[in-house]
Structure formats: structure tokens, C-alpha cells
Amino acid sequence: MLNSVIFVYFPIVISLLSIWGMFWVIKNKKKEYISPLILVNLGIATHFVGLEVIRGFSGMGVSIVGAIILGISIIIFLLILITKLNKRRTI
């Protein structure tokens, strides 16, 4: 039960939030946020390909690559947010 929540449902929720975020980015014309959101969906798609299509130890390797892509996209997103907040703050 817990494995299905962590490995299947949680990435689906994150992917839906990312797709909603892409619509928000396009609507508000904030182009710098689009690349991390695309990378999030790419990482989740790679995770599902490894988990459901390939399966076994090879599938776990592909799933780990998807997790690495997801981690890189989150780091890029946080760096964009930090630089935006530092530009707003006056010292």
C-alpha cells in the first residue's frame, strides 16, 4: 500500500501540479519558470517508464535516472526563486 502511494500516486500528483504550473506560467508570461516544470514532467515520465514498462533491475536504473532529473529540476526551480527574492530585497 505505502509503495503504491510513494512510487505511483505521489508522482502523478506532482505531475498534475507541474502541468497546472505550466498553464499558470504561460498565462502570466513568466518564461523563466517553464524549463524546471518541463524537466519535472520529463523526470516523472522517465520514472514511470522504468517502473512500469521496463521493470526489474534495469527498470530501477531508469527510474533512478528519472529521480535525478527530477532533483535537478527542483534545484533549478529553487535557484530561480532565490535569485528573484534576492533581487526584490534591498540592503
Side-chain angles (χ1 to χ4, degrees):
M1 175 66 186
L2 184 62
N3 286 339
S4 65
V5 169
I6 292 173
F7 292 118
V8 177
Y9 298 124
F10 185 68
I12 290 173
V13 169
I14 296 297
S15 180
L16 291 175
L17 287 173
S18 176
I19 291 169
W20 177 72
M22 282 196 288
F23 285 122
W24 179 81
V25 163
I26 292 169
K27 179 183 170 199
N28 293 329
K29 296 181 175 83
K30 301 201 183 257
K31 302 288 185 195
E32 65 267 7
Y33 296 116
I34 197 85
S35 62
L37 292 173
I38 290 172
L39 279 176
V40 165
N41 285 324
L42 180 67
I44 290 173
T46 308
H47 169 74
F48 277 126
V49 165
L51 193 66
E52 298 296 327
V53 176
I54 299 174
R55 299 189 181 245
F57 286 113
S58 301
M60 285 191 323
V62 173
S63 184
I64 288 173
V65 170
I68 291 170
I69 293 172
L70 187 61
I72 289 171
S73 65
I74 290 171
I75 290 170
I76 291 171
F77 185 69
L78 288 176
L79 287 174
I80 291 171
L81 286 178
I82 289 170
T83 56
K84 273 245 194 234
L85 290 174
N86 283 340
K87 285 181 184 176
R88 287 186 187 171
R89 192 171 55 179
T90 57
I91 297 175

